[in-house]
Amino acid sequence: MRIGGSDAVGIATRHAFALLKPDAVVRRRLVSALEWLSVRGWRVVHARRFRVHRWAVRAFWQYQWNTATRDRREMADLYMSATDSLVLLLRAPHDGEWASSILTRGKGSSDPARCRPGQLRHALGTLNQQLNLVHTADEPVDLIREIGICCTASERADLYRALVDGVDAADEAVDRARRLEADHEALDLSLTGTVARLAGRSVGGGERALLRRRLTGLLDGRTTGWRELVALADRAGVALSRWDRVVLGTYLLVPTLPGVVPLVSDASAAGVGPPQ
């Protein structure tokens, strides 16, 4: 197969796909991610905004989605569509190895406990297995597939020409990142910060007092079902924003079905953790 007069295999192996997700937007981590990439020799060839809808969620993670619980599926739909994401096509710092594999290793685990210093997620401050800021395509074939998720046929033609020509889109990427962040309120998505804010609004007796105890108990290691907590907040008249629900849900839910393995093994499973 030929793309833009060049070998598709070579193009796919020399480039990587990254998606800086909505939590990176509201936590103001986009420019920091671009700086991390630049320092390590990655060159941005293309950058665009893309709103991830529920069908795109299923397309990105179609080979691991069979392992996800209902709670994880619903939470992914909720937070991935909260803002646009920043899509990046990147030229590897060196040849000789799949660019996607290099970036997947450098990205780090979605589990904060397994994310190592020097890795991208560690540098940006991953919070939990879903609020982990960045997704990457694991292999060259995934890069082609995920470009197809984000781009129409005509957009793909322009993008592949940019990959062939070796366009430098670093300044454009920074500009898009800053504009995207400016479009949304900066938020603290930590469990500690969210609990403190919600507990401060749960003043009073009855259901509000119970909600306050349940919330503060989370910081002492006491757990409760996230749906139960949301229902309690509704009864107490404490309005939860989309991101409040996302924070409580992603910290408290059970992410994977017991005994179920992904349809295709995650390329990062041995070294840097599960997908997303």
Side-chain angles (χ1 to χ4, degrees), residues 235-253:
R235 293 197 305 272
V238 177
L240 301 181
S241 70
R242 174 196 290 244
W243 282 109
D244 292 334
R245 293 169 187 265
V246 166
V247 171
L248 295 176
T250 56
Y251 274 98
L252 298 175
L253 62 77

Side-chain angles (χ1 to χ4, degrees), residues 13-262:
T13 56
R14 290 191 298 271
H15 295 89
F17 175 101
L19 183 80
L20 300 179
K21 301 194 291 183
D23 52 321
V25 174
V26 299
R27 293 183 63 208
R28 302 294 189 261
R29 298 295 195 269
L30 299 184
V31 174
S32 296
L34 292 169
E35 291 172 348
W36 185 96
L37 291 163
S38 178
V39 165
R40 286 155 181 78
W42 290 94
R43 188 171 79 246
V44 180
V45 182
H46 180 81
R48 69 169 52 217
R49 291 169 66 146
F50 178 69
R51 182 63 62 103
V52 179
H53 47 71
R54 63 188 297 266
W55 300 115
V57 169
R58 283 146 184 79
F60 277 123
W61 293 288
Q62 63 177 306
Y63 298 117
Q64 293 82 33
W65 209 233
N66 65 304
T67 69
T69 60
R70 173 192 169 192
D71 283 349
R72 185 171 185 172
R73 291 168 186 254
E74 292 188 7
M75 200 53 58
D77 289 342
L78 189 63
Y79 80 82
M80 287 301 297
S81 62
T83 73
D84 285 354
S85 293
L86 187 65
V87 172
L88 303 173
L89 273 297
L90 304 159
R91 179 65 161 83
H94 56 79
D95 295 332
E97 185 180 2
W98 289 351
S100 296
S101 298
I102 298 171
L103 187 57
T104 293
R105 286 200 306 272
K107 173 184 61 178
S109 175
S110 61
D111 181 353
R114 298 173 59 200
C115 204
R116 301 189 297 274
Q119 293 177 323
L120 177 56
R121 282 173 168 162
H122 187 279
L124 299 181
T126 188
L127 294 176
N128 59 49
Q129 289 196 29
Q130 286 191 285
L131 297 181
N132 53 45
L133 303 148
V134 58
H135 161 75
T136 63
D138 289 336
E139 300 178 4
V141 68
D142 292 316
L143 175 140
I144 300 300
R145 182 177 62 82
E146 296 184 15
I147 287 174
I149 297 170
C150 300
C151 304
T152 65
S154 61
E155 290 170 339
R156 292 197 298 273
D158 292 340
L159 188 152
Y160 287 129
R161 279 192 289 272
L163 298 187
V164 171
D165 295 342
V167 172
D168 185 345
D171 291 342
E172 177 186 358
V174 171
D175 181 64
R176 288 183 184 274
R178 287 178 173 157
R179 288 173 180 269
L180 179 51
E181 289 182 344
D183 286 345
H184 299 279
E185 179 187 2
L187 298 174
D188 173 10
L189 302 184
S190 69
L191 183 62
T192 300
T194 300
V195 164
R197 182 167 43 77
L198 292 178
R201 291 163 47 198
S202 305
V203 177
E207 299 278 30
R208 289 202 167 203
L210 177 58
L211 176 62
R212 184 182 179 89
R213 289 197 299 273
R214 293 284 178 84
L215 286 167
T216 56
L218 297 177
L219 304 182
D220 298 327
R222 285 173 282 170
T223 60
T224 186
W226 76 272
R227 291 180 186 276
E228 178 186 351
L229 201 57
V230 167
L232 178 56
D234 288 343
R235 293 197 305 272
V238 177
L240 301 181
S241 70
R242 174 196 290 244
W243 282 109
D244 292 334
R245 293 169 187 265
V246 166
V247 171
L248 295 176
T250 56
Y251 274 98
L252 298 175
L253 62 77
V254 176
T256 55
L257 297 167
V260 179
V261 297

